[in-house]
Amino acid sequence: GAGVSQTPSNKVTEKGKYVELRCDPISGHTALYWYRQSLGQGPEFLIYFQGTGAADDSGLPNDRFFAVRPEGSVSTLKIQRTERGDSAVYLCASSLKAVEPSTDTQYFGPGTRLTVL
Amino acid sequence: AQKITQTQPGMFVQEKEAVTLDCTYDTSDQSYGLFWYKQPSSGEMIFLIYQGSYDEQNATEGRYSLNFQKARKSANLVISASQLGDSAMYFCAIYTGKLIFGQGTTLQVKP
């Protein structure tokens, strides 16, 4: 597949449980982004990876949220001790990371809908 | 801090007519990018069009054009010859290291 893929597409969990969401970016894209979208809102930035390292994690809401990208390709967003307020669609995007950052187009995956009961 | 404002929560347009979706932005950066994305009911964010802050010409991509007025800090999306498949949520976003999105505008195209 040529696009960004995310698994699972839906995840239902109970309050207090641990969840992992996976993102597989477009081949060759070095930049990877995670966003969270609540119902009726625009996506909100969580974290950005350039290669294997987190270049900007300023959007992570608290220390229950963590993300990794160990080999510079697939990324996993990890949420510990889930709360009902974590329910949202989690979107992943990737980009080539153009020389001029402001031209860098991000391409999004279909998202993972997380429901915390 | 960067901010995007989309003041139209919902818009209607007749099929085959043109429609303008408003977007204003706020940033202190000199170099930035403005993006429009479409989100149909399926949920996927689809890239439509990009405008760089230093671009003098308005961006166009097929039926989409971006009316960029830098002094007014506006970046309105114009969709010409609307089609039923254009019914979706539309988001304006500014990039200065990460994308900051507006609240979105729901567009409904009437047959």
Side-chain angles (χ1 to χ4, degrees):
Chain A
V4 178
S5 62
Q6 292 186 246
T7 54
S9 55
N10 279 283
K11 176 71 178 178
V12 181
T13 191
E14 293 179 344
K15 180 176 178 296
K17 299 289 188 183
Y18 168 83
V19 296
E20 289 190 351
L21 312 180
R22 176 189 166 108
C23 172
D24 200 343
I26 293 171
S27 178
H29 280 193
T30 61
L32 186 146
Y33 301 79
W34 283 98
Y35 295 84
R36 178 168 71 174
Q37 186 176 24
S38 300
L39 192 63
Q41 306 290 319
E44 292 180 303
F45 169 80
L46 294 177
I47 186 170
Y48 151 53
F49 286 91
Q50 180 57 44
T52 60
D56 183 351
D57 64 357
S58 62
L60 294 178
N62 51 60
D63 61 5
R64 295 187 298 105
F65 288 74
F66 189 71
V68 296
R69 195 186 185 199
E71 297 178 358
S73 179
V74 171
S75 175
T76 305
L77 178 65
K78 308 180 180 192
I79 311 174
Q80 299 177 323
R81 304 183 304 280
T82 52
E83 300 177 357
R84 292 193 179 88
D86 298 335
S87 296
V89 175
Y90 290 80
L91 294 166
C92 175
S94 70
S95 71
L96 270 174
K97 205 56 185 174
V99 172
E100 172 52 52
S102 66
T103 70
D104 199 39
T105 298
Q106 295 179 27
Y107 296 92
F108 283 78
T112 293
R113 182 175 299 278
L114 175 66
T115 303
V116 182
L117 300 177
Chain B
Q2 287 74 35
K3 186 178 179 182
I4 291 283
T5 302
Q6 294 181 254
T7 57
Q8 306 154 314
M11 291 280 287
F12 288 91
V13 65
Q14 205 67 37
E15 192 179 9
K16 299 180 185 177
E17 294 190 347
V19 63
T20 298
L21 306 183
D22 294 342
C23 171
T24 58
Y25 62 91
D26 191 17
T27 182
S28 56
D29 289 358
Q30 296 301 309
S31 178
Y32 52 89
L34 294 157
F35 295 82
W36 277 91
Y37 285 85
K38 172 184 177 181
Q39 189 174 42
S41 56
S42 60
E44 191 158 354
M45 297 285 284
I46 301 168
F47 165 70
L48 294 179
I49 195 167
Y50 158 82
Q51 178 85 40
S53 57
Y54 294 118
D55 294 342
E56 295 185 354
Q57 302 265 353
N58 285 342
T60 60
E61 287 285 349
R63 295 186 299 111
Y64 304 108
S65 61
L66 202 152
N67 184 0
F68 181 48
Q69 297 188 41
K70 193 170 183 177
R72 294 187 174 188
K73 294 191 173 179
S74 75
N76 299 339
L77 176 70
V78 180
I79 305 175
S80 63
S82 297
Q83 302 172 355
L84 295 178
D86 294 336
S87 294
M89 188 80 144
Y90 288 80
F91 289 99
C92 179
I94 186 168
Y95 180 88
T96 57
K98 57 197 173 194
L99 281 174
I100 305 297
F101 287 85
Q103 294 285 80
T105 295
T106 302
L107 176 66
Q108 292 192 36
V109 181
K110 295 182 174 181

Coordinates of all heavy atoms in Angstrom, one line a residue, chain A residues 52-107:
Chain A
T52 N 14.3 8.5 14.2 CA 14.0 7.7 15.4 C 13.7 8.6 16.6 O 13.1 8.1 17.6 CB 15.2 6.8 15.8 OG1 16.3 7.6 16.0 CG2 15.5 5.8 14.6
G53 N 14.1 9.8 16.6 CA 14.0 10.7 17.8 C 12.7 11.6 17.8 O 12.3 12.0 16.7
A54 N 12.2 11.8 19.0 CA 11.1 12.7 19.1 C 11.6 14.1 19.1 O 12.3 14.6 20.0 CB 10.4 12.4 20.4
A55 N 11.3 14.8 18.0 CA 11.8 16.2 17.8 C 10.9 17.2 18.6 O 11.4 18.3 19.0 CB 11.9 16.6 16.4
D56 N 9.7 16.9 18.8 CA 8.8 17.8 19.5 C 7.7 16.9 20.1 O 6.9 16.3 19.4 CB 8.2 18.8 18.5 CG 7.3 19.8 19.2 OD1 6.9 19.7 20.4 OD2 6.9 20.8 18.5
D57 N 7.7 16.9 21.5 CA 6.6 16.1 22.2 C 5.8 17.0 23.0 O 5.1 16.6 24.0 CB 7.2 15.0 23.0 CG 8.1 15.5 24.1 OD1 8.3 16.7 24.2 OD2 8.6 14.6 24.9
S58 N 5.7 18.3 22.6 CA 5.0 19.3 23.5 C 3.5 19.1 23.5 O 2.9 19.7 24.4 CB 5.4 20.7 22.9 OG 4.9 20.8 21.6
G59 N 3.0 18.3 22.6 CA 1.5 18.1 22.6 C 1.0 17.0 23.5 O -0.2 16.8 23.7
L60 N 1.9 16.1 24.0 CA 1.5 15.0 24.8 C 0.8 15.6 26.0 O 1.4 16.4 26.8 CB 2.7 14.1 25.1 CG 3.3 13.4 24.0 CD1 4.5 12.6 24.5 CD2 2.3 12.5 23.3
P61 N -0.4 15.2 26.4 CA -1.1 15.8 27.5 C -0.6 15.5 28.8 O -0.7 16.4 29.7 CB -2.5 15.2 27.3 CG -2.4 14.0 26.5 CD -1.2 14.2 25.6
N62 N 0.0 14.4 29.1 CA 0.6 14.0 30.4 C 1.5 12.8 30.2 O 1.7 12.3 29.1 CB -0.5 13.8 31.4 CG -1.5 12.8 30.9 OD1 -1.2 11.6 30.5 ND2 -2.8 13.2 30.7
D63 N 2.1 12.4 31.4 CA 3.1 11.3 31.3 C 2.4 9.9 31.1 O 3.1 8.9 31.1 CB 4.0 11.3 32.5 CG 3.2 11.1 33.8 OD1 2.0 10.9 33.8 OD2 3.8 11.2 34.9
R64 N 1.1 9.9 30.9 CA 0.5 8.6 30.6 C 0.7 8.3 29.1 O 0.5 7.1 28.7 CB -1.0 8.6 30.9 CG -1.3 8.7 32.4 CD -2.8 8.5 32.7 NE -3.6 9.6 32.1 CZ -4.3 9.4 31.0 NH1 -4.4 8.2 30.4 NH2 -5.0 10.4 30.5
F65 N 1.0 9.3 28.3 CA 1.2 9.1 26.9 C 2.7 9.1 26.5 O 3.5 9.9 27.0 CB 0.6 10.3 26.2 CG -0.9 10.3 26.2 CD1 -1.6 10.7 27.3 CD2 -1.7 10.0 25.0 CE1 -3.0 10.7 27.3 CE2 -3.0 10.0 25.0 CZ -3.7 10.4 26.2
F66 N 3.0 8.1 25.7 CA 4.4 7.9 25.3 C 4.4 7.4 23.9 O 3.5 6.6 23.5 CB 5.1 7.0 26.2 CG 6.5 6.9 26.0 CD1 7.4 7.9 26.3 CD2 7.1 5.7 25.5 CE1 8.7 7.8 26.1 CE2 8.5 5.6 25.3 CZ 9.3 6.7 25.6
A67 N 5.3 7.7 23.0 CA 5.4 7.2 21.7 C 6.9 6.9 21.4 O 7.8 7.5 21.9 CB 4.9 8.2 20.7
V68 N 7.0 5.9 20.5 CA 8.3 5.4 20.1 C 8.4 5.2 18.6 O 7.3 4.9 18.0 CB 8.8 4.1 20.8 CG1 8.9 4.4 22.3 CG2 7.8 3.0 20.6
R69 N 9.6 5.2 18.1 CA 9.8 5.0 16.6 C 11.2 4.4 16.5 O 12.1 5.0 16.0 CB 9.6 6.2 15.8 CG 9.5 6.0 14.3 CD 9.5 7.3 13.5 NE 9.2 7.1 12.1 CZ 9.5 8.0 11.2 NH1 10.1 9.1 11.5 NH2 9.3 7.7 9.9
P70 N 11.4 3.2 17.0 CA 12.8 2.7 17.2 C 13.6 2.5 16.0 O 14.9 2.6 16.1 CB 12.5 1.3 17.9 CG 11.1 1.0 17.5 CD 10.4 2.3 17.4
E71 N 13.0 2.2 14.8 CA 13.8 2.0 13.6 C 13.6 3.1 12.6 O 14.0 3.0 11.4 CB 13.6 0.6 13.1 CG 14.0 -0.5 14.0 CD 13.7 -1.9 13.5 OE1 13.1 -2.0 12.4 OE2 14.0 -2.8 14.2
G72 N 12.9 4.2 13.0 CA 12.7 5.3 12.1 C 11.6 5.1 11.0 O 11.5 5.8 10.1
S73 N 10.8 4.0 11.3 CA 9.7 3.8 10.3 C 8.4 3.7 11.1 O 7.8 4.7 11.4 CB 10.0 2.5 9.5 OG 8.9 2.3 8.7
V74 N 8.0 2.5 11.5 CA 6.8 2.3 12.3 C 6.9 3.0 13.6 O 7.9 3.0 14.3 CB 6.5 0.8 12.5 CG1 5.4 0.5 13.5 CG2 6.3 0.1 11.1
S75 N 5.7 3.6 14.0 CA 5.7 4.2 15.4 C 4.5 3.6 16.2 O 3.5 3.2 15.6 CB 5.5 5.7 15.2 OG 5.3 6.3 16.4
T76 N 4.7 3.6 17.5 CA 3.7 3.1 18.4 C 3.4 4.2 19.4 O 4.3 4.7 20.0 CB 4.1 1.8 19.1 OG1 4.5 0.8 18.2 CG2 3.0 1.3 20.0
L77 N 2.1 4.5 19.5 CA 1.7 5.5 20.6 C 1.1 4.6 21.7 O 0.3 3.7 21.5 CB 0.6 6.4 20.0 CG -0.1 7.4 21.0 CD1 1.0 8.4 21.5 CD2 -1.2 8.1 20.4
K78 N 1.6 4.9 22.9 CA 1.3 4.0 24.1 C 0.6 4.9 25.1 O 1.0 6.0 25.4 CB 2.5 3.4 24.7 CG 3.4 2.7 23.7 CD 4.7 2.1 24.3 CE 5.5 1.4 23.2 NZ 6.5 0.6 23.8
I79 N -0.5 4.4 25.6 CA -1.3 5.1 26.6 C -1.5 4.2 27.8 O -2.1 3.1 27.7 CB -2.7 5.6 26.1 CG1 -2.5 6.3 24.7 CG2 -3.4 6.5 27.1 CD1 -3.9 6.7 24.1
Q80 N -1.0 4.7 28.9 CA -1.1 3.9 30.2 C -2.3 4.4 31.0 O -2.7 5.6 30.9 CB 0.1 4.1 31.0 CG 1.4 3.6 30.4 CD 2.6 3.9 31.2 OE1 2.7 4.9 31.9 NE2 3.6 2.9 31.2
R81 N -2.9 3.5 31.8 CA -4.0 3.9 32.7 C -5.0 4.8 32.0 O -5.3 5.9 32.4 CB -3.4 4.6 33.9 CG -2.3 3.8 34.7 CD -1.8 4.5 35.9 NE -1.3 5.9 35.6 CZ -0.1 6.2 35.2 NH1 0.7 5.2 34.9 NH2 0.2 7.4 35.0
T82 N -5.6 4.2 31.0 CA -6.5 5.0 30.1 C -7.6 5.6 31.0 O -8.1 5.0 31.9 CB -7.1 4.2 29.0 OG1 -7.6 3.0 29.5 CG2 -6.0 3.9 27.9
E83 N -8.1 6.8 30.5 CA -9.2 7.4 31.1 C -10.3 7.7 30.1 O -10.0 7.7 28.9 CB -8.7 8.8 31.7 CG -7.7 8.6 32.8 CD -7.2 10.0 33.3 OE1 -7.6 11.0 32.8 OE2 -6.3 9.9 34.3
R84 N -11.5 7.9 30.5 CA -12.6 8.1 29.6 C -12.3 9.3 28.7 O -12.7 9.3 27.5 CB -13.9 8.2 30.3 CG -14.3 7.0 31.0 CD -15.8 7.0 31.4 NE -16.1 5.7 32.1 CZ -15.9 5.4 33.3 NH1 -15.4 6.3 34.2 NH2 -16.2 4.2 33.8
G85 N -11.6 10.3 29.2 CA -11.3 11.5 28.4 C -10.3 11.2 27.3 O -10.1 12.1 26.5
D86 N -9.7 10.1 27.3 CA -8.7 9.7 26.2 C -9.5 9.3 25.0 O -8.9 9.1 23.9 CB -7.8 8.6 26.7 CG -6.9 9.0 27.9 OD1 -6.7 10.2 28.1 OD2 -6.5 8.1 28.6
S87 N -10.8 9.0 25.1 CA -11.6 8.6 23.9 C -11.5 9.6 22.8 O -11.8 10.8 23.0 CB -13.0 8.3 24.3 OG -13.1 7.3 25.3
A88 N -11.1 9.2 21.6 CA -10.9 10.1 20.5 C -10.4 9.3 19.3 O -10.2 8.1 19.4 CB -9.9 11.2 20.8
V89 N -10.3 10.0 18.2 CA -9.6 9.4 17.0 C -8.2 9.8 17.0 O -7.9 11.0 17.1 CB -10.3 9.8 15.7 CG1 -9.5 9.2 14.5 CG2 -11.7 9.2 15.7
Y90 N -7.3 8.9 17.0 CA -5.8 9.1 17.0 C -5.3 9.0 15.5 O -5.4 7.9 14.9 CB -5.1 8.2 17.9 CG -5.4 8.6 19.4 CD1 -6.6 8.1 20.0 CD2 -4.5 9.4 20.1 CE1 -6.9 8.5 21.3 CE2 -4.8 9.8 21.4 CZ -6.0 9.3 22.0 OH -6.4 9.7 23.3
L91 N -4.9 10.1 15.0 CA -4.4 10.2 13.6 C -2.9 10.2 13.6 O -2.2 10.9 14.4 CB -5.0 11.4 12.9 CG -6.5 11.5 12.8 CD1 -6.9 13.0 12.4 CD2 -6.9 10.6 11.7
C92 N -2.4 9.5 12.6 CA -0.9 9.5 12.3 C -0.7 10.2 10.9 O -1.6 10.0 10.0 CB -0.4 8.1 12.3 SG 1.3 8.0 11.9
A93 N 0.3 10.9 10.8 CA 0.7 11.5 9.5 C 2.2 11.4 9.2 O 2.9 11.3 10.2 CB 0.3 13.0 9.4
S94 N 2.5 11.3 8.0 CA 4.0 11.3 7.6 C 4.3 12.3 6.5 O 3.4 12.7 5.8 CB 4.4 9.9 7.3 OG 3.9 9.5 6.0
S95 N 5.5 12.7 6.4 CA 5.9 13.6 5.4 C 7.4 13.4 5.0 O 8.1 12.7 5.8 CB 5.8 15.1 5.9 OG 6.7 15.4 6.9
L96 N 7.8 13.9 3.9 CA 9.2 13.7 3.4 C 10.1 14.6 4.2 O 11.3 14.3 4.1 CB 9.2 14.1 1.9 CG 9.0 13.0 0.9 CD1 8.9 13.6 -0.5 CD2 10.1 11.9 1.0
K97 N 9.7 15.6 4.8 CA 10.5 16.6 5.5 C 11.3 17.4 4.5 O 12.5 17.2 4.3 CB 11.4 15.9 6.6 CG 11.7 16.9 7.6 CD 10.4 17.5 8.3 CE 10.7 18.6 9.3 NZ 9.4 19.2 9.7
A98 N 10.6 18.2 3.8 CA 11.2 19.0 2.7 C 12.3 20.0 3.4 O 12.3 20.2 4.6 CB 10.1 19.9 2.1
V99 N 13.2 20.4 2.5 CA 14.2 21.3 3.0 C 13.6 22.6 3.6 O 14.1 23.0 4.6 CB 15.2 21.7 1.8 CG1 16.2 22.7 2.2 CG2 15.9 20.4 1.3
E100 N 12.6 23.1 3.0 CA 11.9 24.2 3.5 C 10.7 23.7 4.3 O 9.7 23.2 3.7 CB 11.4 25.1 2.4 CG 10.4 26.2 2.9 CD 11.0 27.1 4.0 OE1 12.1 27.6 3.9 OE2 10.3 27.2 5.0
P101 N 10.8 23.8 5.6 CA 9.8 23.1 6.5 C 8.4 23.5 6.2 O 7.4 22.7 6.3 CB 10.2 23.5 7.9 CG 11.6 23.8 7.8 CD 11.9 24.4 6.4
S102 N 8.2 24.8 5.8 CA 6.8 25.2 5.7 C 6.1 24.6 4.4 O 4.9 24.8 4.3 CB 6.7 26.8 5.6 OG 7.4 27.2 4.4
T103 N 6.9 24.0 3.6 CA 6.3 23.3 2.4 C 6.0 21.9 2.6 O 5.6 21.2 1.7 CB 7.2 23.5 1.2 OG1 8.4 22.6 1.4 CG2 7.7 24.9 1.0
D104 N 6.3 21.4 3.8 CA 6.2 20.0 4.1 C 4.8 19.4 4.2 O 4.1 19.7 5.2 CB 7.0 19.7 5.4 CG 7.4 18.3 5.5 OD1 7.8 17.7 4.5 OD2 7.3 17.7 6.6
T105 N 4.3 18.8 3.2 CA 2.9 18.3 3.2 C 2.8 17.0 4.0 O 3.6 16.0 3.7 CB 2.4 18.1 1.8 OG1 2.4 19.3 1.1 CG2 1.0 17.5 1.8
Q106 N 1.9 16.9 4.9 CA 1.7 15.7 5.7 C 0.5 14.9 5.1 O -0.5 15.5 4.8 CB 1.4 16.1 7.2 CG 2.5 16.8 7.9 CD 2.2 17.2 9.3 OE1 1.4 16.6 10.0 NE2 2.9 18.2 9.7
Y107 N 0.7 13.6 5.1 CA -0.3 12.7 4.6 C -0.8 11.9 5.7 O 0.0 11.3 6.4 CB 0.2 11.9 3.4 CG 0.6 12.7 2.2 CD1 1.9 13.2 2.1 CD2 -0.4 13.1 1.3 CE1 2.2 14.1 1.0 CE2 0.0 13.9 0.2 CZ 1.3 14.4 0.1 OH 1.6 15.2 -1.0

